[in-house]
Amino acid sequence: MTFQRARSEEQKEARRRAILDTTAAMLEEMPVAEVSLNELSRRVGLAKSNVLRYFESREAVLLELLDDFLGTWLAGLAEELTAAIEPSAAPEARADQLADILSRSLGARPVLCDLFGAQGGVLERNISVEVAKRHKRSSLARLEAMTGLLRRHLPELGDAAQQFCLMILITAGALSSYVPAPPTLLAAYAEEPDLGVLNVDLQDALQMAFTSALVGVLPRA
């Protein structure tokens, strides 16, 4: 697409949205590490200098997109948990149901997990203090919303709920770096099946990690 100069606030917001939407489309084709400002500029139809008028860096674009994706995920997660968790079930049963829903929901969103994985080590490294504060304020608000959501279905988490939520997001990001396995590894697993135990399935790995974490934070009877 091509743009004329944005003059009104509505036009500027449309320009920002176009940049974010284009980045989201790129993430359906490539991992976060391969998203470049040059390619983004080409696809959105703007000079790189013009993209930088709206976002100070590639990382700032991706952090805002992470917040968008996280908000959308949490809205859907609220419905998934309400439908799947039995309020009258014992705490251990609800914990199992919670781990199952979280792992399936995040496992179906590899782009969101990839963004989590890049957040601390890459995306937060090339931003200004103002962008950092805005990003962290938004992240804290999302974390508090997630904490309230999980405590609604598993109040036994108590004060450990917020830390558990934070660990969920960090774990999803860390595990996502192993999937999908590159072609060379898939070929190695095919030639030596015994090596296949090292081939990570994201959803299975998330469920094991979340279940183990819940066992650790739930109060003992």
Side-chain angles (χ1 to χ4, degrees):
M1 65 183 73
T2 57
F3 289 102
Q4 301 297 318
R5 182 178 177 82
R7 299 184 184 279
S8 69
E9 289 304 314
E10 292 79 7
Q11 289 173 328
K12 292 176 181 178
E13 181 55 33
R15 186 72 55 83
R16 283 176 55 84
R17 192 69 253 171
I19 293 169
L20 290 170
D21 290 346
T22 301
T23 307
M26 292 173 67
L27 288 172
E28 294 296 329
E29 304 172 17
M30 63 188 74
V32 170
E34 294 181 12
V35 174
S36 70
L37 196 56
N38 285 335
E39 179 63 10
L40 171 59
S41 301
R42 186 190 70 79
R43 293 196 186 199
V44 83
L46 289 171
K48 184 163 69 172
S49 59
N50 285 336
V51 172
L52 293 174
R53 290 182 180 179
Y54 297 93
F55 296 92
E56 65 178 36
S57 64
R58 159 191 175 271
E59 289 76 12
V61 178
L62 290 164
L63 285 174
E64 186 157 334
L65 202 57
L66 169 59
D67 182 63
D68 282 358
F69 285 0
L70 182 54
T72 300
W73 174 62
L74 289 175
L77 182 64
E79 298 178 2
E80 293 178 62
L81 293 176
T82 298
I85 294 184
E86 303 172 35
S88 61
E92 293 79 6
R94 282 182 281 117
D96 285 342
Q97 293 166 352
L98 177 60
D100 180 61
I101 290 297
L102 288 171
S103 59
R104 286 197 284 114
S105 186
L106 283 168
R109 293 167 173 81
V111 172
L112 177 58
C113 293
D114 191 19
L115 285 165
F116 284 141
Q119 182 179 12
V122 178
L123 301 184
E124 295 178 347
R125 303 288 174 170
N126 186 31
I127 54 175
S128 65
V129 173
E130 286 307 311
V131 168
K133 290 192 296 185
R134 185 167 65 246
H135 164 61
K136 287 303 184 182
R137 284 194 296 265
S138 181
S139 295
L140 181 58
R142 299 294 191 196
L143 182 64
E144 290 173 345
M146 185 178 178
T147 301
L149 179 60
L150 267 59
R151 289 186 69 171
R152 187 184 314 157
H153 295 282
L154 193 62
E156 292 82 0
L157 283 171
D159 294 338
Q162 187 175 75
Q163 190 68 15
F164 174 68
C165 289
L166 183 58
M167 289 303 101
I168 283 174
L169 304 182
I170 292 173
T171 300
L175 288 172
S176 73
S177 66
Y178 291 91
V179 294
T184 50
L185 283 183
L186 293 177
Y189 297 147
E191 291 178 13
E192 295 190 39
D194 287 349
L195 299 177
V197 69
L198 301 175
N199 191 13
V200 175
D201 178 88
L202 182 57
Q203 182 177 321
D204 289 347
L206 289 173
Q207 183 158 9
M208 181 178 293
F210 297 163
T211 301
S212 300
L214 281 168
V215 167
V217 298
L218 278 180
R220 304 296 189 271

